[in-house]
Amino acid sequence: MPSFGQSRDETIEIVSIVPTQGPGGIIAPSCTAAISLAVDEINSGTGILGREIRLTTLDGGREPHEVATEVEAFLATGMVGAITGWHTSAVRRAVAEVVDARVPYLYATDHEGLPDERPGVLLVGEHPDHQSVPAAAWMGRELGVRRWAVIGNDYIWPRRTADALRRSLPSPYDIIVEQYVPLGTTDFDDFLDNPALLLADAVLILMVGADTARFNRQFTATGLPAVMPRLSPAVDENVLLSAGPSANVNLYVASSFFLDDHTTEGRSRQARYREHQGQFSPALTTFSNSTYEAIHLLNSLADTVGTLDVETIMGRSEHGLVLDGPASRRGFLGNQAVGPAHLAQANGVDFTIIDDL
């Protein structure tokens, strides 16, 4: 390992925002461990722009204004070089406002794809038109799904994703049930007891973490999984494990971050993770893999552009920026990372990739 100095000029401070409470809290141990692996891999080389990464982790499971206030305090020190995050879009929008393009902010999960994103917010996850909408179209072709029911948490990402699905359907009335519930909801009887639900061919789930696991258990108790598939772009192995294998029958998931054990890189990454974290570490999951890739994308971006200056990065990425590195996202077009997306089917508490999107 190279020897780094300890002065401010010889380190780069990265703020990592991950929820440690609320429905997204079940993914925190996996994400923290995956980020640690990425940081150590980069620091074992030359660091970012020759500087050692120093990591500060903030709880992204609080109210958006609370997270934003803490981020603003860190930025006021002048020592933060970049921010990464796996958290809700509501938190992202609050944090992006206080960051105000002062440093790059890599958002590592799916987003709603609105055109008014602030400069410097680099979207590592996918937007609905490249993930949820093609997955729904696949289910239409392959499973005969025409009419949808939507259940989501009540904030911007689920609502805008449902809007994208509605625009893609032959008729806006093909979404026949649509309900939004607060984060942390434990009882879904209003949705499950709605008589119109029986007219739907499939359910689109747009909820976070533990909320999705609880919904899947309650949905399974109705007996509907045998005749009504579910689709979500926001499920990882932690969510599958929390719900239990029987609750994951007929569940389809769209993601850009599946770890495919059939590929050399997938096997190698899993092996490096186990060696780094030990036998009893949390699983390296779809969600935590996205946070791992965000750190490596930041490094590749800095190496390619030669700086972490936001204006320079956005200027270079406006017409497409190709990056080299271990991440499956191979570059940026504007502020959107570019790379493959896949559809998988839940298989117990794991995934089987069944198609590309």
Side-chain angles (χ1 to χ4, degrees):
M1 178 179 293
S3 175
F4 291 100
Q6 300 302 312
S7 73
R8 171 178 169 176
D9 291 338
E10 294 169 329
T11 61
I12 179 167
E13 305 287 340
I14 296 178
V15 170
S16 171
I17 307 172
V18 175
T20 60
Q21 60 183 291
I26 64 172
I27 62 93
S30 294
C31 288
T32 302
I35 291 167
S36 173
L37 172 62
V39 167
D40 283 359
E41 287 178 342
I42 294 168
N43 281 345
S44 69
T46 59
I48 291 182
L49 299 175
R51 298 158 65 188
E52 180 185 18
I53 297 172
R54 295 296 182 86
L55 193 71
T56 298
T57 301
L58 304 184
D59 176 15
R62 297 166 293 168
E63 291 295 322
H65 73 274
E66 295 180 58
V67 183
T69 297
E70 189 169 12
V71 170
E72 189 169 28
F74 273 94
L75 287 168
T77 68
M79 297 178 64
V80 176
I83 298 171
T84 67
W86 192 106
H87 45 72
T88 68
S89 288
V91 170
R92 185 192 77 245
R93 293 175 74 82
V95 169
E97 185 172 347
V98 300
V99 172
D100 196 25
R102 284 181 279 180
V103 298
Y105 176 16
L106 276 73
Y107 185 63
T109 191
D110 299 332
H111 59 95
E112 57 277 6
L114 296 180
D116 62 345
E117 200 65 63
R118 286 180 173 269
V121 179
L122 298 168
L123 301 163
V124 177
E126 275 294 359
H127 60 84
D129 288 341
H130 282 185
Q131 193 157 281
S132 296
V133 169
W138 184 96
M139 294 179 73
R141 293 191 307 271
E142 302 297 327
L143 304 180
V145 171
R146 184 172 66 85
R147 295 165 299 187
W148 287 86
V150 175
I151 178 77
N153 288 128
D154 193 6
Y155 69 98
I156 190 170
W157 169 70
R159 288 183 175 275
R160 297 299 186 180
T161 301
D163 288 344
L165 173 63
R166 185 179 291 106
R167 290 192 299 269
S168 74
L169 296 173
S171 166
Y173 300 106
D174 286 338
I175 295 181
I176 59 176
V177 179
E178 185 173 0
Q179 183 177 342
Y180 299 95
V181 298
L183 289 162
T185 293
T186 59
D187 186 341
F188 300 96
D189 282 350
D190 285 350
F191 180 84
L192 296 172
D193 291 342
N194 187 334
L197 179 61
L198 298 177
L199 301 176
D201 301 313
V203 179
L204 176 63
I205 307 170
L206 300 171
M207 291 188 289
V208 177
D211 288 8
T212 301
R214 284 190 290 265
F215 173 81
N216 281 335
R217 287 196 296 270
Q218 292 175 36
F219 185 81
T220 297
T222 68
L224 287 172
V227 296
M228 190 179 296
R230 288 154 292 161
L231 169 66
S232 177
V235 170
D236 80 338
E237 292 84 346
N238 285 314
V239 175
L240 297 182
L241 187 63
S242 179
S246 63
N248 303 323
V249 173
N250 218 5
L251 174 64
Y252 295 82
V253 176
S255 177
S256 300
F257 301 104
F258 293 116
L259 279 163
D260 188 352
D261 288 337
H262 295 96
T263 66
T264 301
E265 172 55 26
R267 292 191 298 270
S268 174
R269 190 174 300 182
Q270 290 276 18
R272 296 196 308 273
Y273 178 81
R274 286 192 295 270
E275 181 179 359
H276 185 267
Q277 292 296 322
Q279 181 180 357
F280 300 106
S281 61
L284 180 58
T285 70
T286 304
F287 289 161
S288 58
N289 188 45
S290 72
T291 63
Y292 169 92
E293 294 214 349
I295 298 292
H296 272 289
L297 274 174
L298 178 67
N299 183 44
S300 300
L301 191 63
D303 279 350
T304 301
V305 179
T307 181
L308 287 177
D309 173 71
V310 168
E311 186 175 355
T312 304
I313 289 171
M314 299 313 295
R316 288 285 302 275
S317 65
E318 182 179 1
H319 301 293
L321 183 62
V322 178
L323 303 177
D324 188 24
S328 63
R329 317 299 274 163
R330 291 304 184 186
F332 284 90
L333 181 58
N335 67 341
Q336 173 64 57
V338 178
H342 310 283
L343 184 68
Q345 187 169 10
N347 180 10
V349 295
D350 209 339
F351 292 112
T352 300
I353 299 172
I354 57 176
D355 213 337
D356 297 325
L357 297 174

